[in-house]
Amino acid sequence: HLVKRRTRELSQALDERQQLEARVMADQEQMEHLSRLSILGELSGTLAHELNQPLATMGNYARSLLRRQASGKLTADALEQAANEIANESERAAAVLGGIRALAKKRQRVREIHDLAELVQEAGQLLHGMQPGAPEILLSQNLPPTLRQVCVDPLQIQQVLLNLFKNAWDAQQAAQVSQPIQVGLEMEGDYCSLCVRDQGTGLPEEQLAHLFEPFFTTKPDGLGLGLSICKTIVEAHGGHLSARPAQPGLVLCFTLPLAPEQIASHKDNS
């Protein structure tokens, strides 16, 4: 009788633990989703203006074709040029909206193999698509593609990158500095390391010590959740997020483990 009762108690405790873990995971996914919406809200201040540019360009080329057609001056070269420009501008607008829609969508986590350098480029394009005044994202790396392959949720890593890029941009704006945001990729053992450096004024040691704590912020209108959630995302991928001072500015680095097959291949080649 005691064994049966103890077995029931253990089974009940296990069920309660699984339910608690499921609720914690659901709450974490909700926080990550809200964080993505927050960073998109910060970046989309000029979104209407930015989308208006390709739409206006397409309209101008279309009206130009109609005028040339009416005056009998429409040539094959002019038609081809206008068609190419309209296609390019429509693809530009679609890419911006596609990136926003993907980040804003609430969805289950995934794990896929991606090139970290390509994720940097995609996050940079989304940043510039939403904020045309954003500084250049200058990527410096000499790793072969095989040593940039990481098993990640691509949208979560883009969320981390957008947060780091936006923070670097804010720091440079506060310091009235107009310089590219420097991004570097290196290999650290079985990990790929990515560092983002700004040219701002940096942070004092007492603030640096609390940088990744929830609700800690140095911005007057900040929520203090961006870097905390970034840390949670990186650690959930088996990596580590850290910060260190630079002269000038601040460097934020995170690591991600290489895809298992790339680790094995690298060891075989070594």
Side-chain angles (χ1 to χ4, degrees), residues 248-265:
L250 187 68
V251 180
L252 286 159
C253 295
F254 68 87
T255 59
L256 292 172
L258 293 171
E261 53 267 38
Q262 303 304 333
I263 295 175
S265 175

Side-chain angles (χ1 to χ4, degrees), residues 1 33 37 55 57 64 66 76 91 96 108 131 138 144 158 170 187 197-198 209 232:
H1 174 72
H33 182 231
L37 294 180
L55 292 175
T57 301
S64 174
L66 291 174
E91 290 169 1
V96 172
Q108 295 268 329
Q131 293 282 301
L138 190 60
Q158 283 191 358
D170 288 343
M187 187 177 176
R197 177 182 176 177
D198 64 64
T232 301

Side-chain angles (χ1 to χ4, degrees), residues 140-261:
S140 173
Q141 63 90 27
N142 55 9
L143 295 177
T146 54
L147 297 183
R148 304 193 306 252
Q149 305 297 315
V150 289
C151 189
V152 297
D153 183 319
L155 292 184
Q156 285 189 326
I157 299 305
Q158 283 191 358
Q159 176 181 349
V160 172
L161 291 169
L162 277 175
N163 268 284
L164 298 188
F165 294 166
K166 180 66 166 54
N167 285 345
W169 183 22
D170 288 343
Q172 293 192 168
Q173 283 185 308
Q176 298 183 339
V177 173
S178 178
Q179 295 288 337
I181 295 172
Q182 299 176 359
V183 180
L185 287 182
E186 295 181 357
M187 187 177 176
E188 293 184 6
D190 294 338
Y191 293 79
C192 189
S193 171
L194 184 148
C195 293
V196 178
R197 177 182 176 177
D198 64 64
Q199 303 289 327
T201 56
L203 292 175
E205 288 292 335
E206 57 270 20
Q207 291 186 347
L208 202 57
H210 301 284
L211 190 59
F212 301 111
E213 295 178 2
F215 306 110
F216 174 81
T217 180
T218 60
K219 303 175 185 177
D221 56 348
L223 295 177
L225 289 174
L227 287 179
S228 173
I229 291 177
C230 287
K231 187 174 186 290
T232 301
I233 291 174
V234 170
E235 290 178 350
H237 282 79
H240 178 67
L241 176 62
S242 61
R244 66 174 186 267
Q247 296 297 329
L250 187 68
V251 180
L252 286 159
C253 295
F254 68 87
T255 59
L256 292 172
L258 293 171
E261 53 267 38

Side-chain angles (χ1 to χ4, degrees), residues 71-84:
S71 63
K73 297 180 180 179
L74 182 60
T75 64
D77 289 342
L79 179 61
E80 181 179 359
Q81 179 187 2
N84 284 331

Side-chain angles (χ1 to χ4, degrees), residues 37-132:
L37 294 180
S38 175
I39 189 69
L40 286 175
E42 291 180 30
L43 292 172
S44 62
T46 59
L47 179 60
H49 170 72
E50 180 63 10
L51 287 179
N52 186 59
Q53 289 181 332
L55 292 175
T57 301
M58 287 186 283
N60 289 336
Y61 273 106
R63 284 190 292 271
S64 174
L65 290 176
L66 291 174
R67 287 195 300 270
R68 293 187 182 191
Q69 175 68 26
S71 63
K73 297 180 180 179
L74 182 60
T75 64
D77 289 342
L79 179 61
E80 181 179 359
Q81 179 187 2
N84 284 331
E85 291 295 336
I86 290 173
N88 290 338
E89 293 300 320
S90 66
E91 290 169 1
R92 172 186 166 194
V96 172
L97 290 175
I100 294 171
R101 186 165 55 246
L103 276 174
K105 184 178 179 181
K106 189 175 182 181
R107 65 195 228 312
Q108 295 268 329
R109 299 174 184 174
V110 300
R111 287 293 186 271
E112 302 168 347
I113 295 178
H114 286 267
D115 186 321
L116 191 52
E118 292 181 0
L119 293 179
V120 170
Q121 293 171 351
E122 290 171 5
Q125 290 170 358
L126 182 57
L127 176 70
H128 286 101
M130 299 177 67
Q131 293 282 301

